[in-house]
Amino acid sequence: MFIADSDKEWEKFGKEDAYYGVLTEEKFRKENLTDSAKQDFFKTGQSHVHNILTKVKQHVDDGFVVKRALDFGCGVGRVAIPLAYITEDVTGVDISDSMLVEAKKNSHEQGLKNIEFVKADEKLSLVQGKFNFIHSFIVFQHIPVKKGQRLFSLLLDKLESGGVCVAHFSYAKTSKLKRLTSFLSSTVPFSGNILNLLKGEPFMAPRMQMNNYDLNKLLSQIQREAMSHCYLDFTDHGGALGVTLYFKKV
């Protein structure tokens, strides 16, 4: 199988087009990123935090309060920074050094003192302590499945008793074209680069993997970790079907 290194591709996004790498809207491309567009970018994070915490209270724990939060795959801080305004302590974790540099810059510009950003590795060795809230959204889909399952297990170990996790995974594609391009990108050398040209992008432009996870395995993993009931919220990103899982550790 010819599979690009997802970590290296994500670092390319961090260096070349960090905000567009997080949210693929034209106004977030490097050449279009005005101050107004950047404000809109972080407003999407604020809205996301509000929405997920509303669902946590509706479906998981009506008295839940975020105290110490971990945002896995934090990128430039779209979600981690809004979280820092409503909680005691936030740790943002990402594999890209360039993304982390930009996230630190953004947090400093906003005068935040209760947030830190650390680099991910295979064992999350730089992530210290336990958290009462762990979050990851539109991240695992870009990580090879076996590696993603290991990292998810490590995150569950870092969730304290009574803590809540909100984690998103893709599990299927509705579009035959998306299934075909995904297959070609993972099996045929340089097919992803040719697809870049067909889309009007540079030959060596970074490409994100879109990996589907087995929901049976994920739910079994959650249940084995002594979690309480699980609430599922379905997502559809242009034919990439996903699910956000909400659950509490007993």
Side-chain angles (χ1 to χ4, degrees):
M1 296 280 282
F2 179 82
I3 303 176
D5 187 317
S6 61
D7 293 349
K8 290 181 179 179
E9 292 296 288
W10 187 240
E11 172 60 10
K12 283 184 184 179
F13 272 111
K15 284 184 176 180
E16 299 173 12
D17 217 346
Y19 294 82
Y20 182 76
V22 176
L23 287 181
T24 53
E25 295 183 31
E26 288 300 313
K27 67 179 178 180
F28 299 136
R29 283 190 182 275
K30 186 176 181 179
E31 61 269 23
N32 301 330
L33 192 68
T34 62
D35 289 342
S36 177
K38 193 172 177 180
Q39 289 176 3
D40 289 344
F41 178 88
F42 281 103
K43 284 179 182 177
T44 69
Q46 293 168 5
S47 177
H48 176 77
V49 168
H50 172 76
N51 290 338
I52 61 173
L53 291 181
T54 296
K55 290 177 181 177
V56 166
K57 291 181 179 179
Q58 289 175 340
H59 302 287
V60 180
D61 182 348
D62 60 4
F64 181 71
V65 176
V66 184
K67 294 180 180 178
R68 187 166 192 245
L70 183 154
D71 183 30
F72 177 74
C74 65
V76 297
R78 184 180 80 98
V79 174
I81 286 174
L83 277 172
Y85 282 99
I86 63 169
T87 189
E88 298 172 9
D89 181 72
V90 178
T91 298
V93 182
D94 205 278
I95 194 63
S96 166
D97 289 312
S98 297
M99 290 282 187
L100 292 172
V101 167
E102 188 67 14
K104 290 174 184 177
K105 177 184 174 183
N106 288 328
S107 67
H108 290 159
E109 287 177 351
Q110 299 192 39
L112 294 169
K113 304 295 185 182
N114 63 333
I115 186 169
E116 68 169 344
F117 295 96
V118 301
K119 184 164 182 179
D121 59 24
E122 296 288 336
K123 296 183 178 180
L124 300 181
S125 59
L126 297 179
V127 180
Q128 301 298 315
K130 298 273 189 176
F131 301 82
N132 89 317
F133 183 66
I134 292 179
H135 168 272
S136 183
F137 186 68
I138 54 174
V139 173
F140 279 103
Q141 61 197 29
H142 304 314
I143 302 174
V145 173
K146 288 185 178 179
K147 180 179 179 181
Q149 288 174 333
R150 290 195 301 270
L151 288 168
F152 185 49
S153 181
L154 291 172
L155 289 174
L156 295 183
D157 286 342
K158 295 184 179 297
L159 185 64
E160 67 181 31
S161 178
V164 169
C165 180
V166 176
H168 173 267
F169 297 89
S170 288
Y171 66 90
K173 296 179 180 68
T174 59
S175 164
K176 291 182 180 179
L177 178 60
K178 284 186 177 292
R179 290 198 294 268
L180 176 61
T181 55
S182 179
F183 172 76
L184 292 174
S185 296
S186 64
T187 57
V188 180
F190 303 111
S191 60
N193 305 89
I194 294 171
L195 289 169
N196 281 340
L197 295 179
L198 292 174
K199 292 169 62 179
E201 297 181 357
F203 182 76
M204 293 304 293
R207 289 185 59 83
M208 293 183 185
Q209 297 183 22
M210 286 297 292
N211 298 301
N212 294 330
Y213 284 71
D214 185 329
L215 291 183
N216 287 335
K217 290 183 179 179
L218 288 173
L219 293 175
S220 295
Q221 188 175 3
I222 291 169
Q223 189 171 13
R224 285 196 306 270
E225 294 288 338
M227 304 298 171
S228 66
H229 66 280
C230 183
Y231 169 71
L232 286 71
D233 189 19
F234 291 111
T235 63
D236 183 348
H237 293 100
L241 300 181
V243 62
T244 306
L245 305 173
Y246 294 73
F247 54 89
K248 181 178 180 180
K249 194 169 189 176
V250 296

